[in-house]
Amino acid sequence: MRARVGLGFGLERLGLIALSRPKLASLLILAASLVLVLALPTLKFEADIVGQTDRDSAIWQEYEALRTEFTFAAPQIYILVDGSTAASLPDWFGAQNRLVLNLRLIGGVADVQSVFSLRSVGSGGTVPLLDPSGYPGEPGALRALAEARPDMAAFLNPDGPVSRISIVLDPDRMGQDGFADDMIRQVRNLADASGLVTSLAGPVVVQGEIAKTLLRDMVRMVLLSIVVGWSFGLLIFSDVRTVMVVNMVSPVAMLWTAGFAALTGETLNSITIVFPLLASIIAFADAVHLVVPMSRRLEAGDTILDAVRSIVTHIGPATALTSMTTALAFGSLAVAGGGMIAVAWLGVASVVLAWLAVITLGPLLCLTLARPGFGATRFPAARFEQAFRWLAVRTIGLGPIILAASAIGCVALLLSARHLPSDHVPTDYLPAASDVRLAEAEMEGNFSGGLSMLVAMPLPRPDAPSHPENILRLQAWHEALNDGLGDSAIWSRVRLPEMVQAQLPQDMPDLARDGEAMLLVVNHSWEDSGAQTIARFNRVQEILEGLPDGEAAQVASLATLVAQSAVEDIDRLRAGVLLSVVLASGLIALSSGSLAAGLAVGLSVGLSVLVVLVGSSAPAGAISYSLIVALVISVGIAIDDGIHLVNKASADDAAHRSGAERWTDGLAQTGGAILLTSLILVVTLVVTQTASMPALRVIGREIALALTAAFFFTTFIVAPTAVRIDRTLHNLFSRKAARHG
């Protein structure tokens, strides 16, 4: 073993300081907790589905320009009205007409578009297509009208019948705090009071639903994690005071993380919402590592204070290093740039706060609550030690084979992962089985997709939007897009009857405010993958290049923006996973003074992550955003087991024993605790499977799988590979020394 700087770089002394001034430390912890609790009511949940995108990118700037220039692209709330149970069509249309009139009276509503917005040509000019006093009374008449007017398909499906009302919100007020939520509430209240069968849809409603779902998921996961923590504690420990310690440290870590996010103005989104839960789980696992050795110290005759000091001195460095490597892994999320920098920052903060709770509050609680029998488990520790000692002896004997197989397996998995493409799954970020999700599906089924790609066509005659030259170009573009995209639904004013086109008002929502361009809209589905969305976007641009003035067209799509940004993030995070493993391994080697220990732990963690990466991605054929984020997080947590093993194998008396003896004793003494903490982590992560947000379930499931793999590889690979690498390095340096001697 080489000289080392100390596994925890001396940070464990913070726990000793707390023990030397217990009253002062308790007051400081209480004050900090109070401040963070008072901040909790200000905690916000980020519902923006483009929250992680690069707002400085060219495609974002183009999207913003089109959104500002065209009323059609302004934020909208959709009301779907089901007429299948209506007593009569005239009554159904009459109720909708009254609802539309009431919606126009809401402050903050810029426009309301519906089937009543469609125009027809009468003797005195254009008039509403559906006059309030002359609705078709028979389904056949309504269907005939729809066939005669293709533009009606944007607002009415006669086969339901189902209609769509679009409420255009004031874009200048969308940034105001609470504006969108207030609009959704008022629209929903009017829709409910109309007597119609209605549901709300659209990106604004989806974002509002995401925020509410995240809050519900967080509350549910917090409550369930507390139940699981107490249940697991009572199952593991025979002393209730021990259960109290680990289950007091755990929620404090969660509270501090959530309070810190509120205090610093950080919002919780579908990724960062797992950090308070992870802080709780990490704190629980580290607290278990602290309390389990207490029973041995007390049985050996130590006083309670001496026993607590001893575990802080001997276990504290390992908890400090595990926190550093976990923070390093979480911090690697920042390589994605953009909004992921804030995600990484909160992840690092959650790890630091969890460790502070363990190293300060943990020892103080042990000092207060410990009695004879404290830390004793219900499981036979001697049998665990015997079993893991047997495993260490057998695996160390197979060291060369295990090292070779692990290295080959790692290379093979790396090559497999390299060929897996990155892809974005939009539905991971839509609440499952919610009314909004069902409404989105209904809208896609009746109105050709819930997402839109905007194509701004420059007008050859901007002085007269309805000029035949403009319409001819629009027809050519419409037909080219329709032919080139196959079954995609294209909307433009070409679908209006010619007599209506000629008499349209100048403020039509598909016309740019400066009158220089006109919109074509390509509708597509939420269910499309990121790869499909990007391919469609590229195909649209390819089609436009072959059209007159096509190079001057502007194309923008929120879904494409999110997909492209997500794919770029995934590609960077793939490198971030590898980088975090390498850096964490280097940190272990530096702190322990053993290159072999760093390489062995890095190899085991790398295999754990790669097995899950390839195994979970292969069925889908691509690496998703949720999966790669989960694996970045997993690196930091999965490496903890190896660090506790290194800590024991690098004990102060290790220099007097052979490498095989050190690692055998290390695995024998830590194997039981590693097994218990791995079980705790995996079982507690099961609560994420109750989440309504698919992304949360994916992240929780993949972390649990990675931690399960990490336990297996840590117990089977680290000891034999460390011994084998150490011997190889020793022989190499000995030969060099002999040659130079």
Side-chain angles (χ1 to χ4, degrees):
M1 303 289 288
R2 263 81 49 200
R4 57 195 178 106
V5 298
L7 205 63
F9 296 89
L11 293 175
E12 72 278 0
R13 294 192 184 96
L14 186 60
L16 297 175
I17 293 172
L19 287 172
S20 67
R21 301 285 191 276
K23 291 184 179 179
L24 177 60
S26 299
L27 284 174
L28 290 174
I29 291 171
L30 184 62
S33 300
L34 183 61
V35 169
L36 294 172
V37 166
L38 292 175
L40 280 177
T42 64
L43 184 62
K44 295 180 181 179
F45 295 85
E46 177 61 71
D48 187 358
I49 59 176
V50 294
Q52 312 311 322
T53 56
D54 182 4
R55 303 300 177 96
D56 296 324
S57 64
I59 188 172
W60 172 263
Q61 299 299 330
E62 193 145 305
Y63 170 76
E64 279 291 282
L66 285 185
R67 192 174 67 84
T68 304
E69 188 66 22
F70 291 91
T71 305
F72 192 97
Q76 300 179 34
I77 297 173
Y78 298 118
I79 301 178
L80 301 182
V81 186
D82 185 353
S84 60
T85 59
S88 68
L89 286 176
D91 291 342
W92 186 60
F93 280 119
Q96 287 185 69
N97 187 50
R98 291 189 292 274
L99 173 59
V100 168
L101 294 175
N102 288 329
L103 290 169
R104 292 183 181 278
L105 300 177
I106 298 177
V109 170
D111 191 16
V112 180
Q113 299 166 7
S114 67
V115 69
F116 307 110
S117 306
L118 300 178
R119 314 296 290 180
S120 182
V121 177
S123 57
T126 59
V127 297
L129 176 64
L130 291 178
D131 190 290
S133 61
Y135 303 126
E138 298 296 331
L142 183 61
R143 189 170 292 105
L145 181 60
E147 291 173 357
R149 290 292 300 262
D151 55 316
M152 184 182 279
F155 300 108
L156 181 68
N157 181 348
D159 293 331
V162 177
S163 67
R164 177 170 67 176
I165 301 172
S166 175
I167 300 99
V168 182
L169 304 182
D170 183 352
D172 296 331
R173 296 182 61 182
M174 278 300 294
Q176 296 178 6
D177 191 28
F179 172 72
D181 290 339
D182 184 55
M183 289 294 99
I184 293 171
R185 180 184 56 80
Q186 292 191 60
V187 169
R188 179 172 281 117
N189 288 342
L190 286 176
D192 290 344
S194 68
L196 297 164
V197 179
T198 61
S199 55
L200 270 56
V204 174
V205 181
V206 168
Q207 290 176 18
E209 184 67 15
I210 289 173
K212 291 192 297 182
T213 300
L214 288 174
L215 176 58
R216 289 196 301 267
D217 283 348
M218 182 175 178
V219 171
R220 185 188 300 116
M221 289 190 299
V222 166
L223 294 177
L224 286 175
S225 67
I226 292 173
V227 172
V228 170
W230 277 93
S231 301
F232 220 98
L234 292 170
L235 179 65
I236 295 172
F237 298 107
S238 56
D239 178 66
V240 70
R241 290 183 178 87
T242 310
V243 181
M244 291 174 64
V245 169
V246 295
N247 279 288
M248 290 174 73
V249 171
S250 174
V252 166
M254 184 187 301
L255 168 69
W256 285 3
T257 301
F260 177 83
L263 197 64
T264 57
E266 297 292 339
T267 56
L268 296 185
N269 56 34
S270 54
I271 296 173
T272 57
I273 194 173
V274 301
F275 287 141
L277 178 64
L278 290 175
S280 170
I281 295 171
I282 293 169
F284 192 104
D286 281 345
V288 169
H289 278 290
L290 282 180
V291 300
V292 167
M294 278 285 291
S295 62
R296 292 181 182 176
R297 305 305 310 175
L298 293 175
E299 288 174 4
D302 286 4
T303 64
I304 292 174
L305 179 58
D306 288 341
V308 177
R309 282 176 176 164
S310 176
I311 63 170
V312 171
T313 302
H314 293 94
I315 307 298
T319 64
L321 184 57
T322 59
S323 296
M324 281 185 271
T325 54
T326 304
L328 187 65
F330 286 13
S332 68
L333 289 166
V335 301
M340 290 303 289
I341 294 175
V343 173
W345 153 248
L346 185 57
V348 171
S350 69
V351 175
V352 173
L353 292 169
W355 180 76
L356 287 174
V358 170
I359 205 65
T360 58
L361 181 59
L364 292 174
L365 290 173
C366 289
L367 185 64
T368 304
L369 297 174
R371 299 291 185 274
F374 184 86
T377 65
R378 297 183 185 276
F379 300 97
R383 289 189 179 180
F384 273 137
E385 185 170 334
Q386 182 181 5
F388 282 104
R389 185 177 297 277
W390 177 90
L391 178 64
V393 171
R394 296 298 183 277
T395 54
I396 288 174
L398 298 171
I401 296 174
I402 291 176
L403 176 58
S406 300
I408 293 171
C410 199
V411 171
L413 289 168
L414 272 172
L415 292 175
S416 299
R418 184 182 176 186
H419 295 292
L420 286 169
S422 302
D423 200 4
H424 175 58
V425 185
T427 49
D428 275 0
Y429 301 90
L430 287 178
S434 69
D435 291 341
V436 172
R437 180 74 176 269
L438 295 175
E440 286 292 328
E442 183 181 359
M443 186 165 69
E444 289 182 6
N446 286 283
F447 301 102
S448 304
L451 296 175
S452 301
M453 187 181 301
L454 308 178
V455 178
M457 183 195 76
L459 296 177
R461 293 293 301 272
D463 55 318
S466 296
H467 191 280
E469 193 174 342
N470 293 333
I471 299 302
L472 284 173
R473 172 176 288 187
L474 187 65
Q475 287 174 338
W477 282 42
H478 188 116
E479 290 173 4
L481 287 171
N482 196 61
D483 293 342
L485 297 175
D487 59 356
S488 294
I490 314 296
W491 185 95
S492 73
R493 65 169 63 185
V494 166
R495 300 184 70 172
L496 300 172
E498 292 183 10
M499 62 185 68
V500 176
Q501 292 177 22
Q503 301 187 49
L504 286 175
Q506 293 290 327
D507 60 348
M508 283 290 288
D510 67 326
L511 188 66
R513 288 187 170 90
D514 61 6
E516 298 286 334
M518 193 174 289
L519 272 187
L520 297 95
V521 181
V522 181
N523 295 308
H524 59 103
S525 171
W526 279 100
E527 302 293 332
D528 290 346
S529 69
Q532 291 173 315
T533 300
I534 293 172
R536 180 181 289 105
F537 183 84
N538 292 337
R539 178 61 180 146
V540 167
Q541 291 187 313
E542 181 183 318
I543 294 169
L544 294 178
E545 288 174 0
L547 296 173
D549 279 348
E551 69 281 355
Q554 288 181 289
V555 186
S557 163
L558 178 60
T560 305
L561 172 67
V562 173
Q564 289 184 337
S565 179
V567 168
E568 291 171 1
D569 285 356
I570 294 168
D571 289 339
R572 286 191 288 262
L573 289 173
R574 291 164 78 157
V577 170
L578 180 61
L579 178 65
S580 62
V581 172
V582 172
L583 292 178
S585 300
L587 191 58
I588 293 171
L590 174 65
S591 61
S592 67
S594 171
L595 178 60
L599 291 174
V601 174
L603 182 60
S604 70
V605 173
L607 278 170
S608 305
V609 172
L610 286 170
V611 164
V612 176
L613 176 65
V614 174
S616 296
S617 301
I623 300 173
S624 71
Y625 206 121
S626 302
L627 172 61
I628 200 66
V629 168
L631 293 182
V632 172
I633 294 170
S634 298
V635 170
I637 304 175
I639 211 165
D640 292 1
D641 291 344
I643 290 173
H644 284 286
L645 177 53
V646 171
N647 182 48
K648 187 58 67 174
S650 307
D652 293 336
D653 62 345
H656 306 295
R657 293 175 292 151
S658 68
E661 290 174 334
R662 291 195 308 268
W663 286 99
T664 298
D665 288 345
L667 185 58
Q669 294 179 37
T670 60
I674 290 173
L675 174 60
L676 291 178
T677 53
S678 297
L679 280 173
I680 289 165
L681 290 166
V682 171
V683 171
T684 307
L685 281 166
V686 170
V687 305
T688 60
Q689 302 311 296
T690 66
S692 299
M693 192 70 67
L696 293 181
R697 297 202 299 270
V698 172
I699 291 173
R701 182 182 68 245
E702 301 305 331
I703 294 175
L705 290 173
L707 296 183
T708 302
F711 167 75
F712 174 82
F713 288 122
T714 298
T715 53
F716 279 83
I717 288 179
V718 172
T721 54
V723 172
R724 186 67 251 173
I725 293 171
D726 202 32
R727 286 175 182 170
T728 302
L729 293 174
H730 176 76
N731 293 336
L732 178 63
F733 290 131
S734 295
R735 284 195 296 270
K736 280 188 177 181
R739 283 197 300 269
H740 290 297

